[in-house]
């Protein structure tokens, strides 16, 4: 969402969730473009809509307003054609001993947002781009404290060595997700689609959960002061079948992907 919105007027350094309050029509159009491309699940524009992240923009008092607006927009865009997943990203802080924040503090931040999303009636919650297994546990625990039955997609991000920044393997992440009765476990963002194939395979080999993958369009590059992603929709196409063969049951897109990528994925998995 962030990368797409940068092409539609989002100023550099501005949080997409905060910007949404004055630009709801642009967010709606973005969601509608993904629905038109064949997306079955829309992820709300709330990746950074939690207390610590919003405090960077002096907007921590707007948590409910921002999450509510985002769910409303996504629901309007998809109607009865699919599902709305409330998005929860990393807290923006690190947990002790890597950082200074306690596990309980992180739990409280995630719980506040998760509770709001549950009350707003999302169809699922997606916890994504987690690079620290402790923060991953705090987020999943918070979602389950907010609802024992809410469908939960649990995503981590991995480096070039195939582990998270704090050393968790794909198998570790899958085991943690199973412990919190997630609906799906998977990988998003990371270093591009090629290394993600093996991550999907490793998760599928040890887990009975649905495996979910959201590749980015390769590692971002800065060209003429703007973020550029090297892979286009055609470049991503060969990986779709490889993800399915490796065990993926949900395929989407992360940084740098546009509705064209989703349209391409849809055409392959449906054979149309």
């Amino acid at each position: 969402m962030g990368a797409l919105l940068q092409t539609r007027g989002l100023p550099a350094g501005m949080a997409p969730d905060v910007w949404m309050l004055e630009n709801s029509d642009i967010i709606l159009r973005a969601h509608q473009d993904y629905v038109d491309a064949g997306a079955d699940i829309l992820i709300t524009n709330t990746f950074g809509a939690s207390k610590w992240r919003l405090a960077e923009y002096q907007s921590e008092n707007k948590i409910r307003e921002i999450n509510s607006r985002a769910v409303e927009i996504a629901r309007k865009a998809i109607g009865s054609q699919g599902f709305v997943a409330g998005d929860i990203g990393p807290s923006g802080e690190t947990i002790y001993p890597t950082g200074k924040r306690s596990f309980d503090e992180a739990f409280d931040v995630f719980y506040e947002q998760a509770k709001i999303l549950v009350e707003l009636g999302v169809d699922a919650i997606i916890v994504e781009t987690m690079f620290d297994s402790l923060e991953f546990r705090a987020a999943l625990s918070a979602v389950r404290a907010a609802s024992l039955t809410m469908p939960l997609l649990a995503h981590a991000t991995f480096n070039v060595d195939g582990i998270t920044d704090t050393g968790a393997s794909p198998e570790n992440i899958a085991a943690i997700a199973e412990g919190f009765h997630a609906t799906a476990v998977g990988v998003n963002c990371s270093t591009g689609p090629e290394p993600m194939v093996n991550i999907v395979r490793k998760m599928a080999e040890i887990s009975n959960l649905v495996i979910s993958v959201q590749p980015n369009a390769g590692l971002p590059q800065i060209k003429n002061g703007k973020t550029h992603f090297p892979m286009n929709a055609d470049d991503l196409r060969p990986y779709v079948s490889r993800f399915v063969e490796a065990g993926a049951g949900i395929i989407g897109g992360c940084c740098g992907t546009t509705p064209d990528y989703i349209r391409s994925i849809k055409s392959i998995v449906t054979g149309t």
Side-chain angles (χ1 to χ4, degrees):
M1 177 63 77
L4 180 69
L5 293 181
Q6 285 176 0
T7 69
R8 301 188 179 189
L10 174 68
M14 172 59 74
D17 353 56
V18 177
W19 190 71
M20 171 184 60
L21 293 179
E22 302 298 328
N23 297 276
S24 296
D25 56 330
I26 299 178
I27 308 300
L28 177 61
R29 182 67 259 170
H31 279 319
Q32 288 174 332
D33 287 346
Y34 282 112
V35 173
D36 293 344
D40 299 304
I41 303 171
L42 285 183
I43 297 175
T44 58
N45 182 41
T46 56
F47 180 82
S50 56
K51 183 168 68 175
W52 290 340
R53 297 288 292 270
L54 291 177
E56 299 175 24
Y57 303 91
Q58 296 77 49
S59 298
E60 63 269 32
N61 62 332
K62 298 180 180 179
I63 293 175
R64 179 171 288 274
E65 179 185 3
I66 289 172
N67 281 273
S68 179
R69 181 76 62 83
V71 172
E72 176 187 346
I73 294 170
R75 183 70 69 191
K76 182 177 181 180
I78 204 158
S80 60
Q81 298 181 57
F83 306 97
V84 171
D87 194 14
I88 296 177
S91 66
E93 300 277 355
T94 49
I95 299 176
Y96 180 85
T98 307
K100 297 180 179 180
R101 295 290 191 176
S102 71
F103 182 93
D104 288 347
E105 285 178 306
F107 171 90
D108 289 343
V109 166
F110 289 126
Y111 177 73
E112 180 180 26
Q113 186 183 10
K115 187 171 185 293
I116 291 171
L117 289 170
V118 169
E119 290 172 350
L120 291 170
V122 295
D123 300 307
I125 287 179
I126 179 169
V127 170
E128 63 171 344
T129 325
M130 292 288 164
F131 57 87
D132 177 5
S133 58
L134 272 177
E135 187 173 34
F136 189 57
R137 291 175 187 272
L140 300 190
S141 179
V143 173
R144 281 292 166 248
S147 172
L148 293 174
T149 59
M150 175 64 65
L152 171 60
L153 289 75
H155 281 198
T157 185
F158 298 83
N159 59 31
V160 293
D161 296 319
I163 57 176
T164 69
D165 285 354
T166 55
S169 68
E171 294 91 341
N172 294 150
I173 292 299
I176 293 170
E178 287 204 353
F180 287 99
H181 303 286
T183 309
V185 65
V187 50
N188 76 289
C189 199
S190 300
T191 55
E194 179 64 40
M196 295 172 119
V197 174
N198 197 40
I199 291 169
V200 168
R201 182 177 294 110
K202 287 182 176 181
M203 287 183 170
E205 286 174 350
I206 67 106
S207 180
N208 291 320
L209 300 180
V210 175
I211 308 300
S212 176
V213 57
Q214 287 178 275
N216 56 5
L219 290 174
Q221 305 164 355
I222 302 298
K223 292 186 176 181
N224 300 319
K226 295 184 178 181
T227 304
H228 169 76
F229 291 86
M231 299 182 70
N232 60 35
D234 287 337
D235 294 328
L236 188 63
R237 286 182 67 87
Y239 292 98
V240 177
S241 296
R242 293 178 63 188
F243 285 139
V244 173
E245 291 166 1
I250 299 174
I251 303 177
C254 201
C255 310
T257 59
T258 67
D260 284 340
Y261 293 72
I262 302 304
R263 187 174 290 106
S264 180
I265 292 169
K266 185 80 168 187
S267 70
I268 293 171
V269 297
T270 61
T272 58

